[in-house]
Every structure is written in C-alpha cells, then in structure tokens.
Amino acid sequence: MQRVRFCYHIRVQFLGFRYSGWQKQPNQKTIEQMILKTLAFVLPHAKFKILGAGRTDAKVSALDAAFELFLQNEPLADAELFLQKFNKNLPPDIRALEISEVTEDFNIIQNSKIKEYVYLFSFGKKNHPFCAPFLANILEDLNIDMMKQAAKLFEGEHYFSAYTARIQENTKSYRKVVSCEIRDNTIIAANFFPKKSYALHIKSEGFMRYQVRMIMGALIQVGQGELSLKEISASLLENSSIQMTYVAPGSGLLLNKLEFK
C-alpha cells in the first residue's frame, strides 16, 4: 500500500544570536533542532520530517525564512490551530508566521527563489551591549562613500571564488548578484541603537558559504583603506589570484526576504 504524504510550507522568523546556525548538529543548539523538538511535542503521534529553504551560519538571524513540513498518512486537522500551538511551544526567539499546504512537486530548495540578505553595522564608537545580537560594531572610522561605490561592483555576473571558504571542486562560483548596495539602516530600530547605523542589502538566487559575510568583510576593508576599488574588481575575475580572508561577524547578518517564483 502506497503511503500518503502531506506537505506544508511554513514561514518563520528567528533571532540567531544564541544558536549555532540552522542545521542540526551534535552537541549544538540549532534552529532546526529546536523546531524538530517543538514539532515532536505538538504532533506527538505523527511521522514527520522537515526541509529548510537554506542554511544560516551561527548567530545569523532571519526575518523571513521557511521550511517544508512533510507528514505521513494524516494531514493537519486544522492548519491555523496547529500554527497557534506551534508558536505557543516554540522558544521566544523563534516565531512561525504562516502555513500553507503545497503539492508534492514543490521543493523548497530546488524551486527558484530570490534571497535578500541584509548586514547591519555601525562604526566609530563602541555600541550599547544590547546591540550585540543585531549590529556588527566596527570601532575604526569607515569611509561609507567608498564602501557604497565598492558595493555596486558586486552587482551582475561575476566569479565569486574569492568570497567563500573551502570551495569544493564542483562548486559553481560564477553567480549573479541582482543588487548590492549600502543604505541607512531602516530594518531594525531601538532606543539603545547608535544614532546612525547602516545596512548592506544584497540579492541573489543563491549564495555560497560565507559569501555575504566575506563581501561585507571586503567592504569594511575598503572603508578602512586596506582594499581599493580596483582590487575589488580584480577579485571578481575568473582565475583571480586574490583571496579574501576577512569574514564579517555572523551577528550582523539576517535573511530579510525569501521570494519564491
């Protein structure tokens, strides 16, 4: 007898500061592990598994992330009631936003999508300690105008092999960045934030490991006068000998939007 499977698309938000990323790992507290633990409690008799739309690094947050829930044999009796119970039992730094049933041919990883990451940062002065989960804090002065010019160089199709760690032989480093720009931070605000903070907005269909954080690291080096615009352009060429080494802290990064085509 063929088993019946029911599939659900669930949008979530989370503050990643106390987690070792999305993916379940031995002896580590992760977002996936916490979601699985909560699902086991709210669906005690169900056979299920989940699949995330992507992985995030340690301390990285998300305003718009997603995963698929697969249930064997029995569907959810009431999806909205399930969502309420799920949220009631999730820890306060994870929230489920919405749930929708999808067909089996939907694949949350393979379906075409656009991801927008935002990297929040401030500079020049030590931040209030409460800023730590949200803002990267660079104590040196930065030339924001030069950083804005450098950010635009990442737009378009380039070779990003200089902007990932431990690249695998079959990894495709030739990728398209839809947009990349530094703006004033309007994403998150608090009365303990510095008067001025900034946000790198970057969009693409997919990113390699550490790619956004290494792009941010290079932009910080541009702002400090350690890298030039010419060097940024050269780093994006095929077979470039330049390898970036500065990985910006994870706590400034958040997945801002996940758009499925």
Side-chain angles (χ1 to χ4, degrees):
M1 180 175 163
Q2 187 177 6
R3 288 185 297 180
V4 180
R5 189 166 75 160
F6 299 89
C7 311
Y8 299 88
H9 181 248
I10 300 177
R11 297 262 187 173
V12 292
Q13 295 176 325
F14 55 82
L15 178 63
F17 195 65
R18 71 186 184 104
Y19 296 97
S20 298
W22 169 272
Q23 189 176 20
K24 188 178 178 181
Q25 305 167 50
N27 304 315
Q28 297 290 332
K29 182 180 287 186
T30 69
I31 302 293
E32 184 181 37
Q33 176 194 47
M34 195 60 66
I35 286 174
L36 287 169
K37 183 178 179 180
T38 307
L39 286 170
F41 180 77
V42 300
L43 300 170
H45 306 298
K47 291 184 178 179
F48 69 86
K49 66 177 183 177
I50 68 171
L51 181 64
R55 301 172 185 175
T56 51
D57 296 334
K59 297 184 183 295
V60 175
S61 300
L63 290 176
D64 185 16
F67 69 91
E68 262 188 287
L69 169 65
F70 304 97
L71 288 175
Q72 293 287 357
N73 302 323
E74 293 289 336
L76 294 172
D78 185 322
E80 289 305 316
L81 194 61
F82 158 79
L83 197 67
Q84 292 176 26
K85 190 174 180 182
F86 187 39
N87 268 321
K88 185 176 180 180
N89 289 280
L90 281 169
D93 49 10
I94 304 176
R95 178 170 73 154
L97 297 172
E98 60 183 45
I99 183 171
S100 57
E101 190 167 3
V102 292
T103 57
E104 282 209 61
D105 60 355
F106 176 80
N107 185 298
I108 202 165
I109 293 178
Q110 295 178 359
N111 271 55
S112 183
K113 54 187 174 290
I114 295 288
K115 293 181 179 180
E116 183 189 52
Y117 277 96
V118 171
Y119 196 96
L120 302 176
F121 67 99
S122 62
F123 70 91
K125 187 178 179 182
K126 183 82 170 182
N127 281 345
H128 190 291
F130 289 4
C131 295
F134 314 105
L135 286 176
N137 190 200
I138 293 87
L139 297 183
E140 297 82 6
D141 283 336
L142 297 176
N143 186 329
I144 289 292
D145 288 337
M146 287 296 293
M147 292 174 69
K148 288 181 177 180
Q149 292 180 55
K152 302 302 286 183
L153 297 176
F154 291 102
E155 293 184 345
E157 296 180 349
H158 306 287
Y159 291 90
F160 287 94
S161 55
Y163 295 90
T164 187
R166 298 192 294 275
I167 189 167
Q168 302 296 315
E169 192 173 327
N170 60 346
T171 301
K172 294 179 181 178
S173 66
Y174 188 69
R175 300 186 179 223
K176 180 179 180 180
V177 168
V178 176
S179 62
C180 185
E181 60 180 331
I182 291 176
R183 311 174 194 165
D184 290 350
N185 168 32
T186 58
I187 302 294
I188 301 175
N191 60 6
F192 52 81
F193 270 28
K195 289 183 179 179
K196 193 78 170 175
S197 58
Y198 300 89
L200 170 70
H201 290 252
I202 183 166
K203 280 187 180 183
S204 177
E205 288 190 0
F207 295 96
M208 296 181 292
R209 189 183 188 197
Y210 296 155
Q211 184 179 345
V212 177
R213 290 169 61 192
M214 292 183 78
I215 287 173
M216 188 65 227
L219 292 175
I220 291 170
Q221 289 181 298
V222 168
Q224 293 173 332
E226 297 175 7
L227 283 176
S228 67
L229 299 182
K230 186 176 180 180
E231 287 172 306
I232 295 295
S233 295
S235 71
L236 297 169
L237 299 175
E238 187 176 12
N239 300 320
S240 172
S241 61
I242 298 173
Q243 179 59 50
M244 298 299 169
T245 57
Y246 186 174
V247 182
S251 55
L253 185 61
L254 61 89
L255 178 58
N256 190 45
K257 288 180 184 176
L258 195 57
E259 303 171 11
F260 290 90
K261 294 183 181 178

